[in-house]
Amino acid sequence: IAAHAADHAEVSDAHGSAFMAFVEPLIERLAGDDAPDATLYEGALSDVQAFIDRETEAQLQQSQAAVKALAEAEQRQTLLPLLRQQVMHQLQSAELSETLRRFLMGPWVEVRAHAMVSPGDDKAEMQTLVGTVDELLWSLERPASELDRDEVRQRLPGLIDSLKRGMALINLPQAERDGVLDDLMQTHTRRLRG
């Protein structure tokens, strides 16, 4: 008990406070017994060890989660310049508003990096988010025929849904989401009128 308490000597240490809250009633129970025997002390020692083991396991799990999150953040930071360069290349000849260009070069690059390094088995979702730039640029080309216009109209709901999921993935502020989607709607309206 003394060794573990010494590891958490600071009054502000939450682990030390939790340990003391656990151990004080245990000590009172031992001290209040008129005829203590070895099994009483063995049981108390076993309870203390079980508490310490649970606490250690919880700390280990927290540490592992923090290390994993740090590794993912580092991977995203490594990907960002490469993905930004790729998007810049894709946008070279595209006719885009400044709002859409900034969105695709900034937040959408973050979405792609996040999708690429996040754990999970949803590879189709990752591919959808990664391919959204091409899909968006295609949708903004001036349709050559009424058939092309109809195809764009049919594919727009899926594109907008992908954009919204990506925006949610990086917690893009609602005002920025609305600005991008409004700009996109206005651009599509102009292009689809012919």
Side-chain angles (χ1 to χ4, degrees):
I1 292 174
H4 189 69
D7 287 343
H8 303 285
E10 295 292 320
V11 175
S12 61
D13 186 344
H15 297 292
S17 298
F19 181 67
M20 292 310 292
F22 166 78
V23 86
E24 284 175 359
L26 186 69
I27 291 172
E28 288 175 14
R29 192 175 72 224
L30 289 172
D33 195 324
D34 292 335
D37 63 358
T39 57
L40 183 65
Y41 289 105
E42 287 172 2
L45 184 59
S46 176
D47 291 347
V48 169
Q49 189 60 53
F51 180 90
I52 292 170
D53 290 346
R54 284 191 305 272
E55 189 178 69
T56 302
E57 180 63 30
Q59 288 174 343
L60 181 62
Q61 287 177 357
Q62 288 175 346
S63 296
Q64 289 172 339
V67 167
K68 183 177 179 184
L70 187 59
E72 287 177 17
E74 190 174 289
Q75 287 176 329
R76 277 194 299 276
Q77 290 303 314
T78 301
L79 281 173
L80 284 174
L82 301 171
L83 294 173
R84 193 164 283 117
Q85 185 176 10
Q86 182 184 22
V87 170
M88 192 178 346
H89 179 72
Q90 288 174 285
L91 300 181
Q92 275 180 339
S93 61
E95 292 180 37
L96 293 174
S97 69
E98 191 55 35
T99 298
L100 289 176
R101 190 172 295 279
R102 268 194 323 268
F103 169 70
L104 292 173
M105 291 293 296
W108 198 256
V109 169
E110 292 176 35
V111 168
R112 291 175 71 180
H114 195 281
M116 293 173 92
V117 301
S118 292
D121 298 328
D122 199 350
K123 299 296 181 197
E125 175 70 2
M126 185 204 51
Q127 290 292 55
T128 298
L129 293 174
V130 168
T132 299
V133 173
D134 289 330
E135 182 77 6
L136 177 64
L137 293 177
W138 170 83
S139 76
L140 293 173
E141 292 176 4
R142 295 201 184 275
S145 68
E146 194 58 39
L147 194 59
D148 291 342
R149 281 185 185 80
D150 288 342
E151 185 178 358
V152 170
R153 286 185 191 107
Q154 288 174 1
R155 289 168 63 174
L156 272 179
L159 172 63
I160 300 301
D161 188 49
S162 294
L163 288 168
K164 287 179 178 179
R165 285 193 319 272
M167 291 172 174
L169 187 65
I170 62 165
N171 297 318
L172 190 68
Q174 190 63 47
E176 288 184 53
R177 295 180 198 199
D178 293 343
V180 169
L181 294 173
D182 288 347
D183 188 283
L184 187 59
M185 183 179 72
Q186 292 170 10
T187 305
H188 277 121
T189 300
R190 283 192 309 271
R191 300 274 165 91
L192 290 174
R193 281 187 186 148

